Amino acid sequence: MRGALLVAGTTSDAGKSVLVAGLCRSLVRRGVSVAPFKAQNMSNNSVVTLDGGEIGRAQAMQAHACGLEPSVRFNPVLLKPGSDRRSQLVVRGRATVDVGARDYVTHRRRLREVVAEDLAALRAEFDVVICEGAGSPAEINLRATDLANMGLARMSDVPVLVVGDIDRGGVLAHLFGTVAVLEPEDQALIAGFVVNKFRGDPVLLAPGLDRLRALTGRPTLGVIPFAENLWLDAEDSLSAVVDAPVGRPAPPVGDRWLRVASIRLPRVSNATDVEALACEPGVSVRWVSDPERLLDADLVVLPGSKATVSDLQWLRRTGIAQALVERADEGRPILGVCGGYQMLGATIDDGVESGAGIVAGLGLLDLDISFEADKVLARSSGVGDAIGAGIPLSGYEIHHGRVRRSGDAPLLRHHDGRAEGSVRGAVWGTHWHGLLESDEFRRLLLTEVARIAGRDGFAVAPDTSVAAVRLAQLDLLADLVDEHLDTAAVDALITGGPTPGLPVINSALG
Ligand SMILES: NC(=O)CC[C@H](N)C(=O)O
């Protein structure tokens, strides 16, 4: 089997990333060599690849579904928004320049070549490449500069499936309209539809899908049910919804829950860090954006941020900064990760990200940070120090900020003995993302939190493996694909390429 397919969506968050992951895993389970590809991603949720670059988290998750290590080849263009108007442009894993929505256009020709070249190389190396679109091809205002949806499909002659989220309502109109607004040459590549997150009786939906087929000449190749136990998404901060529970934690091992509040910073980065906590039975993790939600939390996590100084200002505006200071005074646990760690310090000297110069931090750690233009990208490993002395730890680093001075004890150490992170009372911080996935460290941290919080009835499970929980999620996705997609038709599309002779929808005014 050889070929490629592009999964586009009627909207952002329609389920493209998970459908691509499910298709990849389903193919891999059938012995096919397959790679994921997203030409251009916009996300602050990134990971560090083995080749020392940075790609969107969703492509790392899809690579994992394929049994591959993340590589910059799977996501050659990444835009990391630092504000509503400007993003850092990461090309083949390396941060290049900051671009505004308009000047991005000037980079387009070069990026087009990068994307076409990288997809061709993957297609030569793997039997199948499953591509993910970005946003929606119905955003025709962006069509002229598009590299990730119909722009990619056209330059590489790849058939397209459009997935729509029925849970939002209007899915039939969305699917029809997504084809109808396109120019005929683009329409020719849209081979079929997938309905995602369906609840209820498929018999009731069937007449709608028949009508959609009559109106568009295109089949719906699957209706994927809403899956209660599926929480893996990893797309980006869209998944960090205020008040929504993170993950699907099982009931506690003991008789009490442990409650974690993670601050929903406006430019939160690597929101997935806290998912590892929610893999533990009896640990409830919620995203919060107002100060009183910190009161009943046993642990508060201040996560990473693409805009440390401006998110720190937001903490002050919302009153969360004050709540954090009071919390630290009371000796109640706070964990800061990367940007969140930086905010906990005494000063931040930032001439790079915000250009603000020297800014006071929350003063909860004896720490001075200064930003450099050069970004640290590293997969790091080391050992525990303040928590879990000597136990092996791993994580990854994506930051411009550097520790200039630290007067606190380190949280952990690199293998070469270098100190990393800080501890002062129950305030912990580190630049490392992914640290909470180190199973033993997480267990010790949660045990310490429960002790300080006096949650005597909470006991941490002895055997949770975050890697195993994530893999089970990917298998669940593949099961959904196998059961609810017409896999024979999808296979035929992958190998046969765009369906010849598909009708064009003409929406002439009459
Ligand atoms: N990943 C992060 O949280 C990054 C923190 C900060 N924006 C920096 O670049 O240093």
Side-chain angles (χ1 to χ4, degrees), residues 59 69 139 193 222 237 239 247 307 358 386 416 472 493:
Q59 281 59 64
E69 280 289 338
E139 288 158 5
F193 308 115
S237 43
S239 49
I358 298 179
D416 60 11
L493 206 56

Side-chain angles (χ1 to χ4, degrees), residues 309-380:
V309 168
S310 80
D311 278 355
L312 176 59
Q313 282 160 354
W314 177 85
L315 286 183
R316 294 201 162 103
R317 269 203 313 280
T318 52
I320 294 176
Q322 185 56 31
L324 286 168
V325 170
E326 284 163 17
R327 188 179 173 88
D329 285 348
E330 291 160 10
R332 304 182 67 203
I334 300 173
L335 171 67
V337 180
C338 203
Y341 172 45
Q342 298 168 350
M343 294 175 203
L344 291 172
T347 65
I348 301 167
D349 185 357
D350 178 15
V352 175
E353 205 171 66
S354 64
I358 298 179
V359 173
L362 296 173
L364 303 182
L365 291 172
D366 187 17
L367 176 73
D368 293 327
I369 297 287
S370 70
F371 274 62
E372 285 180 23
D374 199 31
K375 195 191 247 190
V376 175
L377 284 178
R379 288 168 55 126
S380 305

